[in-house]
Amino acid sequence: MIDTHCHLNLTDAFPDMDATVDAALAAGVEAMIVVGIEREANDKAIELAEKYSCVWATVGWHPTSAALFNDSELNHLEESLKHPRVLALGEVGLDYYWDKAIKEEQYRCLEAQLEVASTVRKPAIPTPHVGVSLGSVGSARWSPLPVIFHCREAYPDLLDFLEKKHPEKFVLHCFAGDALDARRAEALGAYIGIDGPVTFKKNHLLREILASYRRDRIVIETDAPFLSPEPFRGKPNSPERLVWISRAVGGTLGIGDEESDRLTTENAKRLFGL
């Protein structure tokens, strides 16, 4: 399994990083993608990716931090995107739930990041267990960076934006839209990230959407330390609990545990160029 979205860079939630990583590996998580939300978290994600071969990083500015985004931060972001352990831009997007940045600031931050990311190309990266060094992939096909989108109470506006111009590969992290949003996302070729809420007993809508969504566009994520799956709901989350999410995905799709792990892992590798 691959945890395509976690926040091990929020270090207060993970006081023993070695133990956290070891527990994830023991649970069958072969790789963890640590997602940035602003400069400090971006730098920490890269630091963790440099330390652990099973950890990869993404960098970006979350929409709730958009009011603090400026040209200096954009330049730093551009350099960070070029780091060999950085797989994607993210998380970026729109958030109308928190009152921390006005819409104009969020759009300006989003558009600036997408423009910079569109100029960065990366080769396909071998997964850690293959045993191939980064220096040996120079002849690989180079492709645009994928993008991780955050969206909260803003799906119509974000989808309107993406229908006008969208990255070649992107994921709607922690998908929480309705059926119409899902149809619009699917028409754009969007991947959807499935988290702990798929295990919540009353979340029938998400499971209905998941069951009808194209299977080659489904990835799993913990969003740790947030959104713990049942039976850990309300407690801090960690990548080792990805197995509960994969099992819920498999049950919803009517496939076995191993097939769910294989499907979501292949999708994740395709999305992030692993």
Side-chain angles (χ1 to χ4, degrees):
M1 297 173 289
I2 295 178
D3 187 350
T4 60
H5 195 116
C6 62
H7 294 286
L8 302 185
N9 42 357
L10 303 181
T11 51
D12 287 348
F14 302 100
D16 189 339
M17 196 65 66
D18 288 346
T20 297
V21 171
D22 287 346
L25 293 174
V29 180
E30 67 174 301
M32 289 153 274
I33 299 176
V34 178
V35 177
I37 52 175
E38 38 72 31
R39 184 169 185 157
E40 183 178 354
N42 292 339
D43 291 347
K44 186 61 179 180
I46 292 175
E47 178 185 326
L48 291 171
E50 290 175 335
K51 181 176 181 180
Y52 300 99
S53 63
C54 59
V55 172
W56 300 88
T58 78
V59 295
W61 276 71
H62 194 281
T64 58
S65 299
L68 303 176
F69 192 69
N70 54 40
D71 289 344
S72 175
E73 297 299 348
L74 182 62
N75 292 335
H76 184 265
L77 177 72
E78 183 174 13
E79 290 306 308
S80 298
L81 286 168
K82 298 174 184 177
H83 192 283
R85 300 292 296 181
V86 170
L87 296 179
L89 170 70
E91 59 186 290
V92 302
L94 299 175
D95 191 312
Y96 297 168
Y97 178 80
W98 296 105
D99 187 22
K100 295 185 177 182
I102 62 175
K103 289 184 181 181
E104 289 78 6
E105 291 171 328
Q106 293 188 39
Y107 273 103
R108 184 164 58 248
C109 180
L110 173 60
E111 290 171 348
Q113 292 182 89
L114 290 175
E115 182 176 353
V116 165
S118 70
T119 67
V120 178
R121 298 291 185 272
K122 290 288 184 77
I125 304 296
T127 46
H129 66 277
V130 173
V132 181
S133 68
L134 286 171
S136 66
V137 297
S139 61
R141 182 180 67 85
W142 289 68
S143 61
L145 280 175
V147 179
I148 299 171
F149 284 101
H150 168 98
C151 189
R152 190 168 185 185
E153 297 189 1
Y155 278 94
D157 281 1
L158 181 60
L159 288 165
D160 285 346
F161 178 89
L162 292 173
E163 284 170 350
K164 295 174 184 176
K165 184 177 182 180
H166 61 82
E168 181 177 312
K169 293 192 296 185
F170 67 97
V171 57
L172 297 176
H173 147 64
C174 191
F175 185 80
D178 61 23
L180 175 59
D181 298 329
R183 288 197 297 271
R184 294 177 69 186
E186 190 172 37
L188 294 171
Y191 289 76
I192 55 172
I194 303 299
D195 306 64
V198 74
T199 69
F200 298 171
K201 294 178 180 178
K202 295 183 179 181
N203 203 344
H204 304 298
L205 175 59
L206 178 57
R207 287 187 288 273
E208 290 172 2
I209 289 171
L210 174 62
S212 63
Y213 206 82
R214 56 184 291 186
R215 294 191 176 188
D216 65 339
R217 291 295 187 271
I218 297 167
V219 295
I220 53 176
E221 50 184 54
T222 61
D223 201 25
F226 312 108
L227 296 176
S228 280
E230 297 284 3
F232 308 101
R233 189 174 181 180
K235 300 177 181 179
N237 201 4
S238 60
E240 67 185 284
R241 293 178 179 163
L242 189 67
V243 64
W244 296 87
I245 298 166
S246 183
R247 298 300 169 264
V249 168
T252 301
L253 298 180
I255 59 178
D257 296 348
E258 291 186 3
E259 177 62 15
S260 178
D261 295 346
R262 184 198 62 78
L263 172 70
T264 57
T265 297
E266 288 184 356
N267 291 348
K269 289 179 178 180
R270 187 186 322 110
L271 169 60
F272 290 105
L274 287 167

